[in-house]
Amino acid sequence: LDVLLQTSILQDSDGQLLASLVTHQDLTEHKRAEAALVQSEARYRQLLDASPDPITVYDHQGRVTYVNPAFEQTFGWSLEELAGRSMDFVPPHEMERTRDAVLRTLKGENVLLESQRLTKDGRLLDIQLKTAVFTGPDGQVAGDIVIYRDITKRKRAEEELKRHRDHLEELVAEGTQELRLANQKLTLEIAEHRRTSQALRAAEASYRLLYDESRRVGALYRSLFNSSADAIIVYDLEGRVQFLNQAFTQVFGWTQGELANRLLDFVPAGEEEITSQHVREVVEQGAIISPPAVDL
């Protein structure tokens, strides 16, 4: 047993030693609990050190108590530089949203936020962060942990895709205008040369141009549809699946052959009402809806 000893003596009225008293307190369970806590902390420290995502741990006063190797690789600061300090690497334009995230975290909410942060050498990174609080033995908030993910490359890819989409829309608009003008011209030519072979040949040639242009625009649409990194699915007005691209199959698992002309319902119960509202707005008003991302 692990024990704590406390000794004292017993004396008579003349001060003569009569006996010694030894009190034993069993500390075995306490020692085992301490060893288990140390082992648990070491295990969690290994998990944090091995994480590919940057992680910081703050105490209840907002001072850094831990950063993992991935944090040092991403942002440049080491634990020796930050321990005991209040690290501020939030750019001014993200300060208000960050304060709101901190307040929500301290109230016990796990916050997921896309924001930006500065590195030690002054670079600005697009990041996604998630927060959580942890409590001490007394049950009170002892601090919080923040897990970061560098999404700079993803943001750049999204911006590049948006530029391609905008360019495609410009091409489609130009092609549509050209088709409209060509159709008007063709109508006039047919009216003027209706009974002549020259009108028939002109009509045939014009229709060939329209057909080739339609094929070009259609091929452009199909190329974007199939090569898009975004998961895309097309429904008819009855909600039946008409087309889906490879990215949709990679994200959700279903293939074109499995879903063609079928009703697909993969909206979580908590999102059904708002999703139905968005669908009505699209069908009835032609609105373009970009609802916030949800986990499906």
Side-chain angles (χ1 to χ4, degrees):
L1 299 180
D2 290 295
V3 296
L4 175 67
L5 303 180
Q6 185 176 3
T7 64
S8 60
I9 60 173
L10 296 177
Q11 297 175 314
D12 60 17
S13 58
D14 297 327
Q16 297 298 314
L17 178 65
L18 296 177
S20 63
L21 179 65
V22 182
T23 303
H24 302 76
Q25 182 180 355
D26 186 357
L27 299 180
T28 305
E29 290 301 322
H30 179 72
K31 289 287 187 180
R32 289 175 180 171
E34 285 184 345
L37 179 60
V38 170
Q39 184 180 11
S40 176
E41 289 178 348
R43 183 164 55 250
Y44 282 116
R45 179 63 176 265
Q46 290 175 346
L47 292 174
L48 295 178
D49 285 344
S51 171
D53 292 325
I55 297 175
T56 56
V57 179
Y58 299 89
D59 64 17
H60 68 285
Q61 295 181 339
R63 295 173 301 195
V64 176
T65 60
Y66 168 82
V67 298
N68 69 344
F71 182 93
E72 182 175 353
Q73 294 171 4
T74 302
F75 294 102
W77 287 285
S78 66
L79 179 59
E80 290 74 18
E81 294 175 300
L82 299 178
R85 293 176 50 194
S86 297
M87 184 180 61
D88 184 7
F89 63 143
V90 181
H93 62 277
E94 292 290 341
M95 194 66 69
E96 183 175 349
R97 296 175 69 235
T98 301
R99 290 196 188 99
D100 176 69
V102 171
L103 293 176
R104 289 161 57 194
T105 299
L106 294 178
K107 291 179 181 179
E109 180 180 350
N110 293 339
V111 177
L112 182 64
L113 177 69
E114 287 193 3
S115 183
Q116 290 183 317
R117 291 296 182 269
L118 293 167
T119 64
K120 184 178 179 180
D121 58 7
R123 290 177 295 114
L124 192 64
L125 297 183
D126 292 297
I127 57 99
Q128 182 185 72
L129 63 84
K130 188 167 186 179
T131 67
V133 295
F134 57 91
T135 58
D138 58 358
Q140 300 297 315
V141 174
D144 64 280
I145 181 171
V146 183
I147 303 173
Y148 305 88
R149 178 160 294 175
D150 185 356
I151 58 173
T152 304
K153 292 182 179 178
R154 193 197 81 188
K155 285 290 187 180
R156 290 175 181 171
E158 290 175 351
E159 292 172 358
E160 184 66 20
L161 180 59
K162 183 179 183 303
R163 283 195 292 270
H164 284 305
R165 286 175 177 166
D166 293 342
H167 182 57
L168 176 62
E169 290 177 359
E170 293 175 0
L171 292 176
V172 171
E174 293 174 359
T176 302
Q177 180 64 15
E178 291 175 0
L179 288 173
R180 186 179 296 111
L181 294 175
N183 187 59
Q184 292 173 355
K185 181 179 179 181
L186 177 61
T187 301
L188 291 174
E189 290 179 352
I190 292 175
E192 293 174 359
H193 308 285
R194 186 181 303 273
R195 298 178 181 178
T196 65
S197 60
Q198 183 180 1
L200 293 175
R201 290 193 296 270
E204 182 181 357
S206 296
Y207 273 119
R208 172 58 61 182
L209 290 175
L210 290 174
Y211 175 74
D212 291 342
E213 185 66 10
S214 297
R215 291 190 61 187
R216 185 182 71 83
V217 174
L220 192 60
Y221 265 119
R222 287 193 296 274
S223 176
L224 176 65
F225 184 82
N226 291 324
S227 63
S228 174
D230 291 338
I232 302 174
I233 186 168
V234 180
Y235 299 91
D236 64 15
L237 291 181
E238 295 179 355
R240 298 185 184 278
V241 176
Q242 299 302 301
F243 305 103
L244 56 86
N245 66 352
Q246 294 179 354
F248 185 94
T249 300
Q250 293 172 357
V251 173
F252 296 102
W254 289 289
T255 65
Q256 172 73 28
E258 292 173 318
L259 298 183
N261 293 314
R262 287 183 51 197
L263 295 173
L264 172 64
D265 184 7
F266 64 154
V267 180
E271 298 293 332
E272 288 180 349
E273 183 176 350
I274 187 64
T275 301
S276 297
Q277 177 184 340
H278 289 323
V279 171
R280 288 195 299 271
E281 292 175 3
V282 171
V283 173
E284 298 173 4
Q285 306 172 20
I288 297 178
I289 304 297
S290 298
V294 297
D295 291 331
L296 302 179

